Amino acid sequence: MANVVVVGAQWGDEGKGKIVDWLSERADVICRFQGGHNAGHTLVIDGEVFKLHALPSGVVRKGKLSVIGNGVVLDPWHLLKEIETIRAQGVEITAETLMIAENTPLILPFHGELDRAREEAASKGTKIGTTGRGIGPAYEDKVGRRVIRVADLADDATLEARVDRALQHHNPLRKGLGVEEIDREALLAQLKEIAPGILEYAAPVWKVLSEKRKAGKRILFEGAQGALLDIDFGTYPFVTSSNVIAGQAATGVGMGPGAVNYVLGIVKAYTTRVGEGPFPTELHDDDGQRLGERGHEFGTTTGRKRRCGWFDAALVRQTCAISGINGICLTKLDVLDGFETLKICVGYELDGKTLDYLPTAADEQARCTPVYEEMPGWSESTEGARSWNDLPAGAIKYVKRVEELIGCPVALLSTSPEREDTILVTDPFAD
Ligand code: GDP
Ligand code: IMO
Ligand code: MG
C-alpha cells in the first residue's frame, strides 16, 4: 500500500491543508510529523471554513485516525482549545480518532514568552518575524534534553524533576533578560490541571503505526511550513526550528524511511512569504498588490500580510530535489487569471555570474537578483475548474512550463479554496 508525504515546497502557506484534507479521503491515518501551532491550515468544505493549527488536516473526515507525532512541539492549552473549536463545528474528536505520541515535547508558556521577548529585543536585520508561539525555544529545550514530554505528565514525581531541570536553565536566562522568574508551584499546578485532558490521547504512536502498516492501512504524512523554512535547507536564520522536508516524516512519527512511497510537494502558482528574510522575486508594485488581494494573502495564524512575488522555478527545482518530491500539486492557479504577462524566475544573477540555484550564504542570498522569462497570461477564469479540459490554453501552457522548469510533474491542481475544486492528474496513492 502506498504511503504519501505532503510537504510545502516554498515558504509555507502553499495550500497544504486543503490538499491533505482532499487526499485524506484515500487514507486511513493522517500524521503531523513536525512543527507546531505556528502552522495555519485552512480547509473550505461546502462553504464552511475550518482553521487548523495543531490538529492534522484529515481530522474533519469521519472514520480516520489523526496522529500528532513526536517530531511536533505541542502546546497543550492551545490543543485543547483547538479541539473545542473544531468540535463546535460538528467534528467528532475522541481518543479513538486522535492520538498524540507519548514522546512529544510540550511548548510551555515560558517558551512563548522567550520567543516574543527575543523578537522584541532584536534589532532590524536580526528579527526573524516568528509567529511568537514558542516554537524555537521548545525545540531548543528538546535538543538540550530539558523539555517536558507528554509521558512526563503521567507521574507527579517525574514531572517535578523535569520542571526543576527546565527551570535550572530558564530562570537564569530570564534574569539576564530582565524578565520575572518562573513560579515553580504555579507552573506545576497548571501542568497537573492540563494533564488528564492530554493523556487521554497519549499513545505509543510508533507501535500503532507499525501495526497499521502491517494491516495494509494507508498513511498520509502532513508537513507544516515549507522547505525554504527548513532549519537546515531554508534561508537560515530566517527559518523555523524544525526539519520540514520529507525526510523528517519517518523520524517525526517513528517509522523507517521505506515507509514513504510518494512525496507530494505543494507549490503555489506564485510565491509568498511571511516574516523576515530574503525573497528574490518579491514584488513591491501593483502586480504584488494584485497577487495579495486576489490570493487573500493574510496569515491564518498571525493575520500578518504575506509578502508576494512571481513564481520562482529555480527555488522549487531546488526544494523538489531536497525533499525528493515525486510530483507537485500546483495551487492557486486561479489567482493568476487576468494577468496580461506572467514572469517566472529561472535563475539568479550574482556578482556578474548566473546561478541556477539559491546559494547558501546569507549575504549572497540577499544579493541574488532574479533572471526572468516572460509568458503571456490568460483572460479566461480558471476559478473552480475541476478538470484539465476546463482550463484555458494559456493556463495549460503555464502549468507545462512550470513542470519543465522544475523538472517534476504536476499530479494535482487546485483552482479555489473549496475541497472539490481540485484536478487529479496522477493519484499519489496509486500503487
Ligand atoms: P497551508 O499553510 O499550506 O495549509 O496554506 P494556508 O491554508 O495557510 O493558505 C492557503 C490559503 O489559500 C487558504 O486560505 C486556502 O483556503 C487558500 N487556497 C488553497 N488552495 C487554493 C486555490 O487553489 N485557489 C485559491 N484562490 N485559494 C486557495
Ligand atoms: P504553514 O504550515 C508560513 C515562518 C514565520 C517566521 C519563521 C519562524 O501554515 O505553512 P516560527 O514561529 O516557526 O519560529 O517562525 O517561519 N512560519 C511560517 N510561514 N507558513 C507557516 O506554516 C509558518 N510557520 C512558521 O513567519 O518567518
Ligand atoms: Mg498556512
Side-chain angles (χ1 to χ4, degrees):
M1 277 294 172
N3 297 322
V4 175
V5 180
V6 169
V7 283
Q10 291 153 316
W11 275 290
D13 302 325
E14 298 91 348
K16 299 175 293 292
K18 170 186 162 162
I19 300 305
V20 168
D21 165 61
W22 190 88
L23 280 173
S24 61
E25 189 186 14
R26 293 163 153 75
D28 301 291
V29 187
I30 300 93
C31 308
R32 277 282 307 268
F33 58 85
Q34 50 70 230
H37 64 314
N38 49 348
H41 300 162
T42 307
L43 324 184
V44 185
I45 302 163
D46 293 331
E48 189 173 359
V49 179
F50 296 87
K51 288 183 188 290
L52 301 169
H53 299 279
L55 288 168
S57 298
V59 79
V60 297
R61 295 216 186 238
K62 268 203 154 126
K64 310 289 175 186
L65 173 63
S66 292
V67 168
I68 296 179
N70 55 277
V72 167
V73 279
L74 182 70
D75 179 326
W77 295 277
H78 169 87
L79 179 75
L80 294 190
K81 259 195 234 141
E82 189 173 323
I83 290 176
E84 280 320 304
T85 307
I86 297 302
R87 271 195 189 136
Q89 290 189 269
V91 176
E92 199 186 355
I93 301 177
T94 66
E96 301 296 305
T97 64
L98 175 67
M99 281 183 192
I100 307 173
E102 295 165 326
N103 49 345
T104 304
L106 297 179
I107 303 179
L108 300 187
F110 57 79
H111 292 128
E113 287 162 18
L114 182 57
D115 188 359
R116 294 186 293 273
R118 280 176 179 162
E119 286 284 279
E120 270 163 34
S123 53
K124 205 175 172 322
T126 61
K127 208 184 270 297
I128 289 166
T130 72
T131 59
R133 298 277 169 112
I135 306 296
Y139 275 118
E140 287 169 32
D141 277 1
K142 170 181 171 169
V143 178
R145 296 165 290 194
R146 55 177 174 264
V147 90
I148 294 156
R149 310 199 299 179
V150 166
D152 301 329
L153 295 173
D155 177 67
D156 284 356
T158 310
L159 186 61
E160 285 169 26
R162 293 281 187 270
V163 164
D164 286 339
R165 193 173 162 81
L167 264 47
Q168 228 174 36
H169 173 81
H170 280 276
N171 273 338
L173 187 66
R174 288 167 73 97
K175 220 172 164 185
L177 287 169
V179 183
E180 208 187 340
E181 288 194 10
I182 300 160
D183 180 337
R184 177 184 188 267
E185 300 313 315
L187 177 62
L188 276 168
Q190 271 182 301
L191 285 167
K192 287 176 187 173
E193 191 194 351
I194 198 92
I198 293 296
L199 288 170
E200 192 184 330
Y201 304 102
V205 155
W206 64 270
K207 188 167 184 291
V208 174
L209 292 182
S210 169
E211 286 159 8
K212 294 277 180 200
R213 198 169 167 223
K214 279 187 197 137
K217 302 291 182 196
R218 286 171 160 182
I219 303 169
L220 176 58
F221 299 87
E222 177 183 19
Q225 290 83 51
L228 294 163
L229 291 170
D230 183 270
I231 186 73
D232 288 307
F233 292 98
T235 45
Y236 194 91
F238 304 101
V239 293
T240 192
S241 294
S242 64
N243 281 117
V244 315
I245 59 176
Q248 171 64 20
T251 34
V253 298
M255 294 183 98
V260 173
N261 308 96
Y262 189 100
V263 180
L264 181 72
I266 313 297
V267 177
K268 207 178 272 194
Y270 49 99
T271 314
T272 62
R273 168 163 211 173
V274 207
E276 306 300 317
F279 179 176
T281 63
E282 182 172 14
L283 294 168
H284 298 282
D285 59 6
D286 289 351
D287 286 331
Q289 184 80 7
R290 184 178 164 143
L291 287 171
E293 279 166 18
R294 286 188 55 93
H296 304 290
E297 295 297 353
F298 292 91
T300 316
T301 300
T302 56
R304 285 180 293 175
K305 202 166 182 258
R306 297 176 183 148
R307 299 154 66 191
C308 296
W310 294 120
F311 185 72
D312 191 335
L315 270 188
V316 175
R317 187 167 57 231
Q318 188 164 338
T319 59
C320 280
I322 291 162
S323 258
I325 290 172
N326 299 99
I328 67 159
C329 174
L330 194 66
T331 62
K332 302 192 102 166
L333 189 64
D334 53 294
V335 174
L336 299 182
D337 291 351
F339 273 90
E340 207 161 298
T341 306
L342 297 168
K343 288 188 184 177
I344 301 181
C345 170
V346 295
Y348 310 101
E349 256 174 28
L350 177 70
D351 304 332
K353 288 195 193 111
T354 306
L355 296 178
D356 64 356
Y357 70 100
L358 192 69
T360 303
D363 67 305
E364 292 189 345
Q365 288 183 348
R367 280 187 293 116
C368 274
T369 55
V371 178
Y372 284 118
E373 69 172 42
E374 285 191 10
M375 284 186 76
W378 55 91
S379 54
E380 304 91 330
S381 169
T382 63
E383 195 185 341
R386 294 186 180 186
S387 92
W388 190 256
N389 296 334
D390 293 340
L391 297 177
I396 291 178
K397 265 194 192 148
Y398 185 78
V399 174
K400 291 281 168 204
R401 189 65 187 138
V402 165
E403 282 183 323
E404 270 170 20
L405 288 169
I406 67 172
C408 193
V410 166
L412 288 138
L413 279 159
S414 170
T415 57
S416 102
E418 265 291 341
R419 177 193 268 174
E420 296 304 332
D421 292 340
T422 304
I423 301 172
L424 177 64
V425 182
T426 308
D427 186 350
F429 277 109
D431 288 320

